[in-house]
Each structure stands twice: as structure tokens, then as C-alpha cells.
Amino acid sequence: MSISTQKILIVGGGSGMGLALARRCVEAGATVVIAGRSEDRLRQARETLGNPAGLEIAVVDIAREDQVAALFAEIGGLDHIVSTAADIEGAYRLLPDLDLKAAQRMVDSKLFGPLLLAKHGAPRLAASGSMSFVSGVAAYRPAARGSVVAAVNAALEGLVRALAVELAPIRVNAVSPGWVDTTIWARVAGDRKAETLAAMAGRLPVGRVGQPEDIADAILFLIGNGFTTGTTLHVEGGHRLV
């Protein structure tokens, strides 16, 4: 499927996997709206991509239903909706140190946010359109400190299957990344980011951790394949095998 004439909303498009996807889509000729909570980050992302004519920005907190509804009222019809957003600040903790408010922010950004995007975005989508969300390998290979992340990822995949049934023929899928080298690891591992990622690379069958472009390409597959829905596409370098 060519996306050159299509319009795609990417929530979380200001950095990491979302930014890599925005680059791929712009290069393919699509009209792209990158959305997120930080206008500065979105403007910086637009500059990073060369200020292309087909790229718009929209400031939104997808945990706020009024803001989500206003977003879709503003941008109008769409072909595809993608969310890579995840607020993990303070949520990646051992249970004695876990702050419930941080856990709730994680749930808001990665579960209720996609739910609101589906609620208000589905009426704006073409019947041949799709929604793609990002879960993660923690649902299958949880680690200490990752109970909230594991639970939210698993819940999101359940939501994807339910939405694929309820919103048909609109297709709804998830990508489940493994460890990907993004800025999020600076918050998870701090000064030990490089060491932590290198150790995982040595364990994985592919011999490396993921890059944002790996996940962007997987999402593009889900956008373009009209016979895939209710599916979780695992892009994790064989992490579930080790």
C-alpha cells in the first residue's frame, strides 16, 4: 500500500520511535501530524526533519479526553493513527519505592490514551484505515522494577484485540518492541545506559539492541498490510527466546 496520498497522526512523534516513523512517512510522501505534550519538542522534531511542507504539529495530552476530542476536531479526516507515547517517569521502580501516581500516569499514557484515541479517532478514519499502538516485551519477559510496565503492555494488547473486533473494518494492531536504544533508557538506567544495552545486545540472537527505525518499519508494515488486524507484531531481536 502506498501512503503517498494518506494522512497519518503520530502521537509521540517528537522523539524516538515516533520521530523515526514520522521521517519514514514524510519521505514516502504522506501528510503527517506529530502530536505530543511538549510544543518545544515537536517544533524541534519538525526542524530535525527539515521543516517539510507535509508535516504538522499538534500539542495534546492524550490522557485528557477534552484535548483528544479537540485534536480530532482540528485535524479532521485521517487514514492512520499511531501512538508510541509512554510516560514511564517514576513507574519503573521496585514495589517498595513505587509511587501510585507515577503508575497511574503510565496507565493514562499507554492504555487510556490509546482508548481515547480510538474513541474519538475512529469516526475520523477511512474504512480502510488503521490504528497502531506500541506495547513491549516486558509483557512477556518482565523484570524486577517492571511490574507496572509489564501489566500495562499486556493490557494494551488485550485492548488492541477488542478494538479490532469492535471497530472493524478499521484495523487495529500493536507492535511489541524489545530493548530499543532511545532516550527513555537514560531515565531507566541512568549513567549505566550504554553498559546495560551492551549487556542485552550480547544476550540477543541478533547480537544487538533495536534502533527506532526497526520499530518504525514494523509500524509501516501494519499500516500497509490490509489483511492484518488484532495482531501483536514482535520486533525484539529474539528476546522472548532467551
Side-chain angles (χ1 to χ4, degrees), residues 1-68:
M1 178 191 295
S2 171
I3 62 171
S4 61
T5 61
Q6 298 189 341
K7 187 173 182 179
I8 303 169
L9 170 66
I10 305 172
V11 180
S15 64
M17 295 177 283
L19 180 58
L21 177 62
R23 185 187 300 277
R24 290 280 200 263
C25 293
V26 167
E27 290 173 349
T31 298
V32 178
V33 181
I34 56 173
R37 294 180 299 180
S38 171
E39 183 173 0
D40 288 344
R41 180 179 293 176
L42 294 171
R43 291 191 181 280
Q44 185 176 38
R46 196 177 193 282
E47 291 176 6
T48 297
L49 297 179
N51 292 307
L55 180 64
E56 305 169 15
I57 67 172
V59 179
V60 65
D61 181 351
I62 60 171
R64 293 276 305 276
E65 185 165 11
D66 59 334
Q67 293 189 23
V68 174

Side-chain angles (χ1 to χ4, degrees), residues 123-219:
R124 305 282 181 173
L125 280 176
S128 59
S130 74
M131 299 183 191
S132 301
F133 303 116
V134 175
S135 60
V137 73
Y140 302 86
R141 288 290 184 271
R145 300 196 298 154
S147 57
V148 174
V149 178
V152 173
N153 285 339
L156 178 60
E157 292 181 12
L159 176 65
V160 160
R161 290 189 290 271
L163 291 176
V165 174
E166 180 170 344
L167 299 179
I170 292 169
R171 295 177 294 108
V172 186
N173 294 291
V175 169
S176 177
W179 288 27
V180 179
D181 187 358
T182 66
T183 56
I184 203 169
W185 277 101
R187 281 174 277 169
V188 174
D191 294 340
R192 299 183 63 242
K193 173 185 173 181
E195 176 187 348
T196 302
L197 293 181
M200 176 54 73
R203 291 178 53 199
L204 294 176
V206 297
R208 67 175 178 89
V209 297
Q211 295 298 317
E213 292 75 16
D214 295 316
I215 311 308
D217 290 342
I219 295 172

